[in-house]
């Protein structure tokens, strides 16, 4: 059974940093990708970033470029999302999700098979 568990959310002031973690287990395929999505109250869920487990290629939404960094520790089956220079508009529940392989459509959430339960990130002004 595929399981994804996020952690690392919390309350931080604008300009601060947080590092989210996503621990994955139960995968039976080698070439998969982990994506991060977020959903703010009243808004649709949006893609934030993704990383390919096979070659480490990162993908970022425009809102994340230059501020967020995604990385993977394959030995620990863990993907991290380092978030710096946080803004109040980054406030959301952050989810990690898994999909087999990844391409230019990394942002399509319907391509992801498994989802974590989410972790709350709140950025105060």
């Amino acid at each position: 059974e595929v399981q994804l568990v996020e952690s690392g959310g919390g309350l931080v002031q604008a300009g601060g940093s947080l590092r989210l973690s996503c621990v994955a287990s139960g995968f039976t395929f080698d070439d998969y990708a982990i994506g991060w999505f977020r959903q703010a109250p009243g808004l649709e869920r949006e893609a934030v970033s993704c990383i390919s487990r096979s070659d480490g290629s990162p993908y970022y939404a425009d809102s994340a470029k230059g501020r967020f960094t995604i990385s993977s520790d394959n030995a620990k089956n863990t993907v991290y999302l380092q978030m710096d220079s946080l803004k109040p508009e980054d406030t959301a529940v952050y989810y990690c999700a898994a999909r087999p392989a990844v391409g230019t459509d990394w942002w399509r959430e319907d391509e992801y098979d498994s989802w974590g339960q989410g972790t709350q990130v709140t950025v105060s002004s």
Side-chain angles (χ1 to χ4, degrees):
E1 179 185 358
V2 175
Q3 283 193 320
L4 300 168
V5 180
E6 305 98 331
S7 63
L11 174 63
V12 65
Q13 288 188 332
S17 299
L18 283 174
R19 189 178 78 159
L20 305 183
S21 299
C22 174
V23 179
S25 62
F27 288 100
T28 58
F29 46 86
D30 292 331
D31 183 19
Y32 66 89
I34 298 292
W36 284 98
F37 292 77
R38 67 186 183 186
Q39 186 167 24
L43 299 179
E44 293 187 353
R45 190 158 53 188
E46 63 175 357
V48 176
S49 183
C50 178
I51 189 166
S52 168
R53 183 179 184 271
S54 62
D55 63 7
S57 296
Y59 303 85
Y60 297 100
D62 288 344
S63 60
K65 288 178 182 176
R67 299 188 301 125
F68 294 2
T69 304
I70 193 169
S71 62
S72 176
D73 185 337
N74 288 351
K76 295 182 178 179
N77 276 350
T78 301
V79 170
Y80 304 98
L81 184 68
Q82 177 67 41
M83 304 188 295
D84 299 317
S85 302
L86 284 163
K87 306 174 182 179
E89 50 264 44
D90 294 318
T91 295
V93 177
Y94 284 70
Y95 301 89
C96 66
R99 59 177 284 174
V102 66
T104 55
D105 65 347
W106 68 271
W107 47 270
R108 289 185 57 178
E109 60 177 274
D110 60 342
E111 293 291 331
Y112 290 79
D113 297 322
S114 302
W115 293 80
Q117 82 289 350
T119 185
Q120 176 70 47
V121 171
T122 303
V123 184
S124 63
S125 57

